[in-house]
Amino acid sequence: MRTTATIFLAAGVAVGGLPPAGCAPGSDGEGNRPDAGDVRNDDAGVPEATDGPQCDSNAQCDDRIDCTDDFCNAAGLCEYVPVDRRCPDGQRCMVSSGCEERCSVHADCDDRQWCNGTETCGGGWCFPGDPRDCGDGNPCTEDRCDEETDQCVRTRLDIEGCEQDGGGDVVTPFDPAVHYSGEFHLRPIQSSSCLRATYSISTVRFRTAGDSLEVSGAPCTMTGSPVPSGPEFSVWCVDPGCGRYELTGSFSDADNFEARWTATFVAPGCGICSRQDATVYGMRI
């Protein structure tokens, strides 16, 4: 991230006068807190100080940044206060980097790092973005952000419940005439303990029957017609007197699919049950 890393607001920052007791300022001659005119307070919501490492004296807190006041606070932590007036006109003092140019557009703040999010300009100052979330919710993959390719990378894990037919990293392309069959682990497990809607679905079984695709495992057998001609599928069923269940998704290869599981309870006897709506992953057993 550009040197505009998030700065945490230090509670109760005082200005003027002597430092609080416990800062042991006498030995280094730097015991006074910054003057009121020094502390930056020109933009609402912009933090003014941040705490650092533990200390016994002000001398231990020197960060070698000319525009900050550094001292040891009452909690025994180094505290750094940025002083904008020590920077050239049009710049501000950043605790982590010193004097920095103000911005006028978002592009001025771009640090060319994809994984740490998109920086923005607000009120003339740069603010960090939110780091990329590469988690896909699949317990069978290790997810990371790759800065070199500007994308999320997922590596399949060789752990119990995540096995693939054929072993190793061999991937078989999906063939709808062949692979709409077999049993699959469902992760995360979908469960409910509400009235008639009491179940725990850890596996589902695909099969074709005539011109329909059937998927069993839910409280009723979900079906779709005709049998899909590609990797995308959608099946559903209604459990009389309780709920409607649906699984809609797509196979990435012969052994893996990603889908949306929904369960809606509207009929008498299950109308008070909470609706389910989750992304799930299927791995061939």
Side-chain angles (χ1 to χ4, degrees):
M1 186 70 61
R2 186 186 167 107
T3 52
T4 53
T6 303
I7 300 173
F8 298 100
L9 186 64
V13 176
V15 292
L18 295 175
C23 284
S27 61
D28 56 21
E30 298 179 1
N32 291 328
R33 298 292 296 270
D35 294 333
D38 283 353
V39 178
R40 180 173 134 215
N41 191 26
D42 54 350
D43 285 290
V46 179
E48 295 182 357
T50 186
D51 287 342
Q54 293 183 335
C55 57
D56 294 314
S57 66
N58 290 350
Q60 295 175 338
C61 298
D62 185 5
D63 61 2
R64 300 184 183 280
I65 294 178
D66 293 338
C67 66
T68 62
D69 277 321
D70 319 320
F71 55 89
C72 186
N73 66 21
L77 297 175
C78 289
E79 191 168 328
Y80 306 104
V81 178
V83 183
D84 283 345
R85 69 177 183 80
R86 295 178 184 167
C87 293
D89 290 343
Q91 295 187 16
R92 65 170 178 176
C93 179
M94 292 297 295
V95 169
S96 58
S97 60
C99 295
E100 183 178 279
E101 295 283 350
R102 291 179 67 105
C103 62
S104 56
V105 295
H106 295 324
D108 294 340
C109 303
D110 187 0
D111 65 357
R112 305 297 191 271
Q113 299 294 310
W114 189 79
C115 292
N116 63 13
T118 303
E119 295 75 28
T120 57
C121 177
W125 307 123
C126 289
F127 295 91
D130 294 324
R132 307 283 178 183
D133 182 6
C134 287
D136 61 4
N138 185 352
C140 292
T141 61
E142 181 179 70
D143 314 315
R144 64 181 178 86
C145 185
D146 187 352
E147 195 66 67
E148 292 186 2
T149 60
D150 288 354
Q151 64 181 359
C152 292
V153 176
R154 298 178 174 88
T155 303
R156 191 174 183 86
L157 299 174
D158 183 17
I159 58 177
E160 183 178 357
C162 298
E163 299 86 353
Q164 292 179 283
D165 284 353
D169 296 324
V170 176
V171 175
T172 303
F174 181 80
D175 181 350
V178 176
H179 297 129
Y180 275 125
S181 63
E183 194 168 10
F184 297 79
H185 291 290
L186 192 69
R187 298 292 186 272
I189 295 173
Q190 296 302 299
S191 62
S192 173
S193 57
C194 179
L195 303 176
R196 284 188 54 190
T198 297
Y199 52 81
S200 180
I201 307 171
S202 59
T203 61
V204 291
R205 179 177 292 276
F206 282 70
R207 67 181 292 265
T208 56
D211 64 348
S212 297
L213 173 65
E214 296 184 352
V215 180
S216 59
C220 50
T221 298
M222 300 175 288
T223 63
S225 183
V227 176
S229 59
E232 295 83 14
F233 63 88
S234 182
V235 292
W236 62 278
C237 69
V238 174
D239 182 18
C242 192
R244 184 182 193 278
Y245 304 89
E246 183 173 354
L247 189 67
T248 300
S250 179
F251 280 85
S252 59
D253 55 62
D255 301 317
N256 300 275
F257 69 79
E258 177 179 343
R260 198 74 186 175
W261 161 265
T262 57
T264 306
F265 308 106
V266 295
C270 282
I272 64 172
C273 299
S274 298
R275 182 176 186 270
Q276 294 180 336
D277 187 350
T279 298
V280 294
Y281 299 89
M283 288 73 70
R284 189 181 295 273
I285 299 174

